[in-house]
PDB file of all heavy atoms in Angstrom:
ATOM      1  N   MET A 162       4.089   1.723   4.783  1.00  0.00           N
ATOM      2  CA  MET A 162       3.007   2.178   3.911  1.00  0.00           C
ATOM      3  C   MET A 162       1.911   2.856   4.734  1.00  0.00           C
ATOM      4  O   MET A 162       1.343   3.864   4.309  1.00  0.00           O
ATOM      5  CB  MET A 162       2.427   0.993   3.129  1.00  0.00           C
ATOM      6  CG  MET A 162       1.553   1.405   1.967  1.00  0.00           C
ATOM      7  SD  MET A 162       2.479   2.234   0.652  1.00  0.00           S
ATOM      8  CE  MET A 162       3.225   0.825  -0.164  1.00  0.00           C
ATOM      9  N   HIS A 163       1.613   2.315   5.926  1.00  0.00           N
ATOM     10  CA  HIS A 163       0.651   2.977   6.814  1.00  0.00           C
ATOM     11  C   HIS A 163       1.137   4.392   7.135  1.00  0.00           C
ATOM     12  O   HIS A 163       0.358   5.352   7.110  1.00  0.00           O
ATOM     13  CB  HIS A 163       0.500   2.193   8.131  1.00  0.00           C
ATOM     14  CG  HIS A 163      -0.349   0.967   8.029  1.00  0.00           C
ATOM     15  ND1 HIS A 163       0.177  -0.273   7.740  1.00  0.00           N
ATOM     16  CD2 HIS A 163      -1.685   0.793   8.187  1.00  0.00           C
ATOM     17  CE1 HIS A 163      -0.803  -1.169   7.727  1.00  0.00           C
ATOM     18  NE2 HIS A 163      -1.939  -0.551   7.995  1.00  0.00           N
ATOM     19  N   PHE A 164       2.420   4.507   7.456  1.00  0.00           N
ATOM     20  CA  PHE A 164       2.992   5.815   7.800  1.00  0.00           C
ATOM     21  C   PHE A 164       2.814   6.809   6.658  1.00  0.00           C
ATOM     22  O   PHE A 164       2.334   7.930   6.858  1.00  0.00           O
ATOM     23  CB  PHE A 164       4.482   5.654   8.129  1.00  0.00           C
ATOM     24  CG  PHE A 164       5.235   6.961   8.154  1.00  0.00           C
ATOM     25  CD1 PHE A 164       5.191   7.800   9.255  1.00  0.00           C
ATOM     26  CD2 PHE A 164       5.991   7.360   7.050  1.00  0.00           C
ATOM     27  CE1 PHE A 164       5.872   9.020   9.266  1.00  0.00           C
ATOM     28  CE2 PHE A 164       6.683   8.572   7.056  1.00  0.00           C
ATOM     29  CZ  PHE A 164       6.616   9.397   8.175  1.00  0.00           C
ATOM     30  N   ALA A 165       3.194   6.411   5.445  1.00  0.00           N
ATOM     31  CA  ALA A 165       3.133   7.314   4.283  1.00  0.00           C
ATOM     32  C   ALA A 165       1.698   7.728   3.978  1.00  0.00           C
ATOM     33  O   ALA A 165       1.419   8.894   3.697  1.00  0.00           O
ATOM     34  CB  ALA A 165       3.777   6.648   3.070  1.00  0.00           C
ATOM     35  N   VAL A 166       0.772   6.761   4.049  1.00  0.00           N
ATOM     36  CA  VAL A 166      -0.629   7.051   3.725  1.00  0.00           C
ATOM     37  C   VAL A 166      -1.268   7.907   4.818  1.00  0.00           C
ATOM     38  O   VAL A 166      -2.029   8.833   4.528  1.00  0.00           O
ATOM     39  CB  VAL A 166      -1.418   5.732   3.527  1.00  0.00           C
ATOM     40  CG1 VAL A 166      -2.910   6.006   3.421  1.00  0.00           C
ATOM     41  CG2 VAL A 166      -0.924   5.005   2.281  1.00  0.00           C
ATOM     42  N   ARG A 167      -0.950   7.615   6.076  1.00  0.00           N
ATOM     43  CA  ARG A 167      -1.558   8.361   7.185  1.00  0.00           C
ATOM     44  C   ARG A 167      -1.282   9.859   7.069  1.00  0.00           C
ATOM     45  O   ARG A 167      -2.131  10.696   7.356  1.00  0.00           O
ATOM     46  CB  ARG A 167      -1.035   7.823   8.515  1.00  0.00           C
ATOM     47  CG  ARG A 167      -1.735   8.422   9.730  1.00  0.00           C
ATOM     48  CD  ARG A 167      -1.222   7.826  11.030  1.00  0.00           C
ATOM     49  NE  ARG A 167      -1.731   6.486  11.234  1.00  0.00           N
ATOM     50  CZ  ARG A 167      -0.983   5.382  11.169  1.00  0.00           C
ATOM     51  NH1 ARG A 167       0.307   5.476  10.902  1.00  0.00           N
ATOM     52  NH2 ARG A 167      -1.512   4.207  11.376  1.00  0.00           N
ATOM     53  N   LEU A 168      -0.061  10.207   6.633  1.00  0.00           N
ATOM     54  CA  LEU A 168       0.285  11.621   6.490  1.00  0.00           C
ATOM     55  C   LEU A 168      -0.074  12.187   5.110  1.00  0.00           C
ATOM     56  O   LEU A 168       0.109  13.369   4.855  1.00  0.00           O
ATOM     57  CB  LEU A 168       1.786  11.821   6.748  1.00  0.00           C
ATOM     58  CG  LEU A 168       2.242  11.709   8.207  1.00  0.00           C
ATOM     59  CD1 LEU A 168       3.731  11.981   8.318  1.00  0.00           C
ATOM     60  CD2 LEU A 168       1.481  12.664   9.104  1.00  0.00           C
ATOM     61  N   GLY A 169      -0.560  11.310   4.214  1.00  0.00           N
ATOM     62  CA  GLY A 169      -0.930  11.782   2.877  1.00  0.00           C
ATOM     63  C   GLY A 169       0.269  12.060   1.994  1.00  0.00           C
ATOM     64  O   GLY A 169       0.234  12.972   1.162  1.00  0.00           O
ATOM     65  N   LEU A 170       1.334  11.267   2.144  1.00  0.00           N
ATOM     66  CA  LEU A 170       2.568  11.487   1.380  1.00  0.00           C
ATOM     67  C   LEU A 170       2.472  10.738   0.044  1.00  0.00           C
ATOM     68  O   LEU A 170       2.843   9.567  -0.065  1.00  0.00           O
ATOM     69  CB  LEU A 170       3.783  11.021   2.193  1.00  0.00           C
ATOM     70  CG  LEU A 170       3.900  11.638   3.603  1.00  0.00           C
ATOM     71  CD1 LEU A 170       5.140  11.112   4.325  1.00  0.00           C
ATOM     72  CD2 LEU A 170       3.957  13.164   3.511  1.00  0.00           C
ATOM     73  N   LEU A 171       2.000  11.428  -0.968  1.00  0.00           N
ATOM     74  CA  LEU A 171       1.705  10.815  -2.261  1.00  0.00           C
ATOM     75  C   LEU A 171       2.956  10.282  -2.952  1.00  0.00           C
ATOM     76  O   LEU A 171       2.990   9.150  -3.442  1.00  0.00           O
ATOM     77  CB  LEU A 171       1.011  11.860  -3.151  1.00  0.00           C
ATOM     78  CG  LEU A 171       0.245  11.366  -4.368  1.00  0.00           C
ATOM     79  CD1 LEU A 171      -0.954  10.524  -3.935  1.00  0.00           C
ATOM     80  CD2 LEU A 171      -0.253  12.546  -5.204  1.00  0.00           C
ATOM     81  N   ARG A 172       4.013  11.089  -2.989  1.00  0.00           N
ATOM     82  CA  ARG A 172       5.232  10.689  -3.708  1.00  0.00           C
ATOM     83  C   ARG A 172       5.943   9.537  -2.981  1.00  0.00           C
ATOM     84  O   ARG A 172       6.463   8.622  -3.616  1.00  0.00           O
ATOM     85  CB  ARG A 172       6.179  11.880  -3.847  1.00  0.00           C
ATOM     86  CG  ARG A 172       5.605  13.062  -4.628  1.00  0.00           C
ATOM     87  CD  ARG A 172       6.572  14.227  -4.610  1.00  0.00           C
ATOM     88  NE  ARG A 172       6.049  15.440  -5.220  1.00  0.00           N
ATOM     89  CZ  ARG A 172       5.406  16.380  -4.565  1.00  0.00           C
ATOM     90  NH1 ARG A 172       5.189  16.258  -3.264  1.00  0.00           N
ATOM     91  NH2 ARG A 172       4.977  17.460  -5.187  1.00  0.00           N
ATOM     92  N   LEU A 173       5.977   9.615  -1.639  1.00  0.00           N
ATOM     93  CA  LEU A 173       6.626   8.545  -0.875  1.00  0.00           C
ATOM     94  C   LEU A 173       5.849   7.238  -1.031  1.00  0.00           C
ATOM     95  O   LEU A 173       6.443   6.169  -1.168  1.00  0.00           O
ATOM     96  CB  LEU A 173       6.739   8.929   0.603  1.00  0.00           C
ATOM     97  CG  LEU A 173       7.465   7.909   1.493  1.00  0.00           C
ATOM     98  CD1 LEU A 173       8.878   7.630   0.986  1.00  0.00           C
ATOM     99  CD2 LEU A 173       7.513   8.380   2.943  1.00  0.00           C
ATOM    100  N   THR A 174       4.517   7.327  -1.035  1.00  0.00           N
ATOM    101  CA  THR A 174       3.697   6.135  -1.246  1.00  0.00           C
ATOM    102  C   THR A 174       4.002   5.517  -2.603  1.00  0.00           C
ATOM    103  O   THR A 174       4.154   4.293  -2.726  1.00  0.00           O
ATOM    104  CB  THR A 174       2.198   6.485  -1.157  1.00  0.00           C
ATOM    105  OG1 THR A 174       1.920   7.017   0.148  1.00  0.00           O
ATOM    106  CG2 THR A 174       1.331   5.274  -1.406  1.00  0.00           C
ATOM    107  N   TRP A 175       4.101   6.361  -3.634  1.00  0.00           N
ATOM    108  CA  TRP A 175       4.424   5.860  -4.980  1.00  0.00           C
ATOM    109  C   TRP A 175       5.774   5.153  -4.973  1.00  0.00           C
ATOM    110  O   TRP A 175       5.927   4.075  -5.542  1.00  0.00           O
ATOM    111  CB  TRP A 175       4.425   7.010  -5.982  1.00  0.00           C
ATOM    112  CG  TRP A 175       5.014   6.636  -7.314  1.00  0.00           C
ATOM    113  CD1 TRP A 175       6.291   6.845  -7.741  1.00  0.00           C
ATOM    114  CD2 TRP A 175       4.356   5.931  -8.368  1.00  0.00           C
ATOM    115  NE1 TRP A 175       6.470   6.342  -8.999  1.00  0.00           N
ATOM    116  CE2 TRP A 175       5.307   5.766  -9.412  1.00  0.00           C
ATOM    117  CE3 TRP A 175       3.067   5.441  -8.540  1.00  0.00           C
ATOM    118  CZ2 TRP A 175       4.986   5.129 -10.594  1.00  0.00           C
ATOM    119  CZ3 TRP A 175       2.760   4.801  -9.735  1.00  0.00           C
ATOM    120  CH2 TRP A 175       3.708   4.650 -10.744  1.00  0.00           C
ATOM    121  N   PHE A 176       6.772   5.764  -4.331  1.00  0.00           N
ATOM    122  CA  PHE A 176       8.099   5.163  -4.270  1.00  0.00           C
ATOM    123  C   PHE A 176       8.033   3.796  -3.582  1.00  0.00           C
ATOM    124  O   PHE A 176       8.606   2.807  -4.073  1.00  0.00           O
ATOM    125  CB  PHE A 176       9.067   6.078  -3.517  1.00  0.00           C
ATOM    126  CG  PHE A 176      10.426   5.465  -3.285  1.00  0.00           C
ATOM    127  CD1 PHE A 176      11.413   5.536  -4.263  1.00  0.00           C
ATOM    128  CD2 PHE A 176      10.712   4.801  -2.107  1.00  0.00           C
ATOM    129  CE1 PHE A 176      12.660   4.942  -4.074  1.00  0.00           C
ATOM    130  CE2 PHE A 176      11.960   4.205  -1.903  1.00  0.00           C
ATOM    131  CZ  PHE A 176      12.934   4.286  -2.881  1.00  0.00           C
ATOM    132  N   LEU A 177       7.352   3.719  -2.439  1.00  0.00           N
ATOM    133  CA  LEU A 177       7.272   2.460  -1.687  1.00  0.00           C
ATOM    134  C   LEU A 177       6.554   1.374  -2.479  1.00  0.00           C
ATOM    135  O   LEU A 177       6.906   0.195  -2.391  1.00  0.00           O
ATOM    136  CB  LEU A 177       6.565   2.684  -0.344  1.00  0.00           C
ATOM    137  CG  LEU A 177       7.307   3.574   0.665  1.00  0.00           C
ATOM    138  CD1 LEU A 177       6.439   3.810   1.897  1.00  0.00           C
ATOM    139  CD2 LEU A 177       8.655   2.966   1.063  1.00  0.00           C
ATOM    140  N   LEU A 178       5.565   1.773  -3.266  1.00  0.00           N
ATOM    141  CA  LEU A 178       4.834   0.797  -4.086  1.00  0.00           C
ATOM    142  C   LEU A 178       5.742   0.091  -5.090  1.00  0.00           C
ATOM    143  O   LEU A 178       5.494  -1.051  -5.479  1.00  0.00           O
ATOM    144  CB  LEU A 178       3.700   1.486  -4.853  1.00  0.00           C
ATOM    145  CG  LEU A 178       2.376   1.679  -4.116  1.00  0.00           C
ATOM    146  CD1 LEU A 178       1.425   2.504  -4.965  1.00  0.00           C
ATOM    147  CD2 LEU A 178       1.747   0.340  -3.757  1.00  0.00           C
ATOM    148  N   GLN A 179       6.793   0.781  -5.521  1.00  0.00           N
ATOM    149  CA  GLN A 179       7.713   0.206  -6.518  1.00  0.00           C
ATOM    150  C   GLN A 179       8.767  -0.710  -5.880  1.00  0.00           C
ATOM    151  O   GLN A 179       9.505  -1.391  -6.581  1.00  0.00           O
ATOM    152  CB  GLN A 179       8.441   1.316  -7.302  1.00  0.00           C
ATOM    153  CG  GLN A 179       7.570   2.465  -7.770  1.00  0.00           C
ATOM    154  CD  GLN A 179       6.327   2.026  -8.501  1.00  0.00           C
ATOM    155  OE1 GLN A 179       6.388   1.192  -9.405  1.00  0.00           O
ATOM    156  NE2 GLN A 179       5.190   2.573  -8.099  1.00  0.00           N
ATOM    157  N   GLN A 180       8.842  -0.701  -4.544  1.00  0.00           N
ATOM    158  CA  GLN A 180       9.874  -1.478  -3.851  1.00  0.00           C
ATOM    159  C   GLN A 180       9.360  -2.858  -3.461  1.00  0.00           C
ATOM    160  O   GLN A 180       8.145  -3.085  -3.376  1.00  0.00           O
ATOM    161  CB  GLN A 180      10.332  -0.730  -2.589  1.00  0.00           C
ATOM    162  CG  GLN A 180      10.769   0.709  -2.818  1.00  0.00           C
ATOM    163  CD  GLN A 180      11.782   0.838  -3.943  1.00  0.00           C
ATOM    164  OE1 GLN A 180      12.802   0.161  -3.959  1.00  0.00           O
ATOM    165  NE2 GLN A 180      11.490   1.733  -4.888  1.00  0.00           N
ATOM    166  N   PRO A 181      10.287  -3.832  -3.203  1.00  0.00           N
ATOM    167  CA  PRO A 181       9.860  -5.156  -2.726  1.00  0.00           C
ATOM    168  C   PRO A 181       9.000  -5.028  -1.464  1.00  0.00           C
ATOM    169  O   PRO A 181       9.350  -4.294  -0.545  1.00  0.00           O
ATOM    170  CB  PRO A 181      11.185  -5.854  -2.399  1.00  0.00           C
ATOM    171  CG  PRO A 181      12.202  -5.169  -3.265  1.00  0.00           C
ATOM    172  CD  PRO A 181      11.759  -3.742  -3.360  1.00  0.00           C
ATOM    173  N   GLY A 182       7.870  -5.715  -1.456  1.00  0.00           N
ATOM    174  CA  GLY A 182       6.972  -5.674  -0.303  1.00  0.00           C
ATOM    175  C   GLY A 182       5.970  -4.537  -0.343  1.00  0.00           C
ATOM    176  O   GLY A 182       5.060  -4.477   0.489  1.00  0.00           O
ATOM    177  N   GLY A 183       6.108  -3.631  -1.308  1.00  0.00           N
ATOM    178  CA  GLY A 183       5.228  -2.469  -1.378  1.00  0.00           C
ATOM    179  C   GLY A 183       3.781  -2.843  -1.624  1.00  0.00           C
ATOM    180  O   GLY A 183       2.872  -2.383  -0.917  1.00  0.00           O
ATOM    181  N   ARG A 184       3.550  -3.687  -2.607  1.00  0.00           N
ATOM    182  CA  ARG A 184       2.177  -4.115  -2.915  1.00  0.00           C
ATOM    183  C   ARG A 184       1.606  -4.990  -1.800  1.00  0.00           C
ATOM    184  O   ARG A 184       0.427  -4.917  -1.461  1.00  0.00           O
ATOM    185  CB  ARG A 184       2.147  -4.870  -4.239  1.00  0.00           C
ATOM    186  CG  ARG A 184       2.372  -3.988  -5.454  1.00  0.00           C
ATOM    187  CD  ARG A 184       1.126  -3.238  -5.819  1.00  0.00           C
ATOM    188  NE  ARG A 184       1.371  -2.190  -6.814  1.00  0.00           N
ATOM    189  CZ  ARG A 184       0.496  -1.255  -7.129  1.00  0.00           C
ATOM    190  NH1 ARG A 184      -0.668  -1.214  -6.510  1.00  0.00           N
ATOM    191  NH2 ARG A 184       0.788  -0.336  -8.012  1.00  0.00           N
ATOM    192  N   GLY A 185       2.475  -5.829  -1.224  1.00  0.00           N
ATOM    193  CA  GLY A 185       2.031  -6.711  -0.137  1.00  0.00           C
ATOM    194  C   GLY A 185       1.563  -5.945   1.077  1.00  0.00           C
ATOM    195  O   GLY A 185       0.681  -6.392   1.811  1.00  0.00           O
ATOM    196  N   ALA A 186       2.140  -4.752   1.294  1.00  0.00           N
ATOM    197  CA  ALA A 186       1.786  -3.955   2.466  1.00  0.00           C
ATOM    198  C   ALA A 186       0.356  -3.419   2.391  1.00  0.00           C
ATOM    199  O   ALA A 186      -0.235  -3.083   3.425  1.00  0.00           O
ATOM    200  CB  ALA A 186       2.764  -2.786   2.612  1.00  0.00           C
ATOM    201  N   LEU A 187      -0.215  -3.357   1.196  1.00  0.00           N
ATOM    202  CA  LEU A 187      -1.540  -2.751   1.034  1.00  0.00           C
ATOM    203  C   LEU A 187      -2.637  -3.537   1.730  1.00  0.00           C
ATOM    204  O   LEU A 187      -3.670  -2.980   2.100  1.00  0.00           O
ATOM    205  CB  LEU A 187      -1.880  -2.616  -0.458  1.00  0.00           C
ATOM    206  CG  LEU A 187      -0.961  -1.705  -1.285  1.00  0.00           C
ATOM    207  CD1 LEU A 187      -1.453  -1.608  -2.717  1.00  0.00           C
ATOM    208  CD2 LEU A 187      -0.886  -0.310  -0.659  1.00  0.00           C
ATOM    209  N   SER A 188      -2.430  -4.843   1.924  1.00  0.00           N
ATOM    210  CA  SER A 188      -3.492  -5.665   2.526  1.00  0.00           C
ATOM    211  C   SER A 188      -3.246  -5.965   4.000  1.00  0.00           C
ATOM    212  O   SER A 188      -3.976  -6.737   4.611  1.00  0.00           O
ATOM    213  CB  SER A 188      -3.632  -6.981   1.741  1.00  0.00           C
ATOM    214  OG  SER A 188      -2.381  -7.645   1.684  1.00  0.00           O
ATOM    215  N   ILE A 189      -2.210  -5.372   4.590  1.00  0.00           N
ATOM    216  CA  ILE A 189      -1.892  -5.648   5.993  1.00  0.00           C
ATOM    217  C   ILE A 189      -2.664  -4.698   6.914  1.00  0.00           C
ATOM    218  O   ILE A 189      -2.668  -3.483   6.707  1.00  0.00           O
ATOM    219  CB  ILE A 189      -0.370  -5.533   6.236  1.00  0.00           C
ATOM    220  CG1 ILE A 189       0.340  -6.671   5.512  1.00  0.00           C
ATOM    221  CG2 ILE A 189      -0.044  -5.552   7.726  1.00  0.00           C
ATOM    222  CD1 ILE A 189       1.829  -6.681   5.655  1.00  0.00           C
ATOM    223  N   HIS A 190      -3.317  -5.272   7.912  1.00  0.00           N
ATOM    224  CA  HIS A 190      -4.058  -4.490   8.896  1.00  0.00           C
ATOM    225  C   HIS A 190      -3.142  -4.106  10.049  1.00  0.00           C
ATOM    226  O   HIS A 190      -2.268  -4.886  10.444  1.00  0.00           O
ATOM    227  CB  HIS A 190      -5.237  -5.300   9.459  1.00  0.00           C
ATOM    228  CG  HIS A 190      -6.298  -5.626   8.444  1.00  0.00           C
ATOM    229  ND1 HIS A 190      -6.147  -6.632   7.501  1.00  0.00           N
ATOM    230  CD2 HIS A 190      -7.516  -5.062   8.210  1.00  0.00           C
ATOM    231  CE1 HIS A 190      -7.231  -6.693   6.747  1.00  0.00           C
ATOM    232  NE2 HIS A 190      -8.078  -5.743   7.154  1.00  0.00           N
ATOM    233  N   ASN A 191      -3.353  -2.898  10.581  1.00  0.00           N
ATOM    234  CA  ASN A 191      -2.633  -2.546  11.813  1.00  0.00           C
ATOM    235  C   ASN A 191      -3.499  -2.952  13.014  1.00  0.00           C
ATOM    236  O   ASN A 191      -4.539  -3.601  12.850  1.00  0.00           O
ATOM    237  CB  ASN A 191      -2.258  -1.062  11.835  1.00  0.00           C
ATOM    238  CG  ASN A 191      -3.471  -0.145  11.833  1.00  0.00           C
ATOM    239  OD1 ASN A 191      -4.614  -0.582  12.021  1.00  0.00           O
ATOM    240  ND2 ASN A 191      -3.240   1.144  11.614  1.00  0.00           N
TER     241      ASN A 191
END
């Protein structure tokens, strides 16, 4: 999710959000 957001990949971010672990990734710090 960090990778997709860092590059501004809107569609890939949407896809990842629908997958297991997608929502959980939003609160993880690098």
Side-chain angles (χ1 to χ4, degrees):
M162 194 67 79
H163 283 91
F164 165 80
V166 171
R167 187 178 285 110
L168 287 182
L170 306 180
L171 198 65
R172 299 175 186 91
L173 183 57
T174 300
W175 168 264
F176 174 85
L177 294 175
L178 276 174
Q179 315 310 312
Q180 307 309 307
R184 289 281 169 192
L187 297 183
S188 55
I189 292 180
H190 295 77
N191 63 11

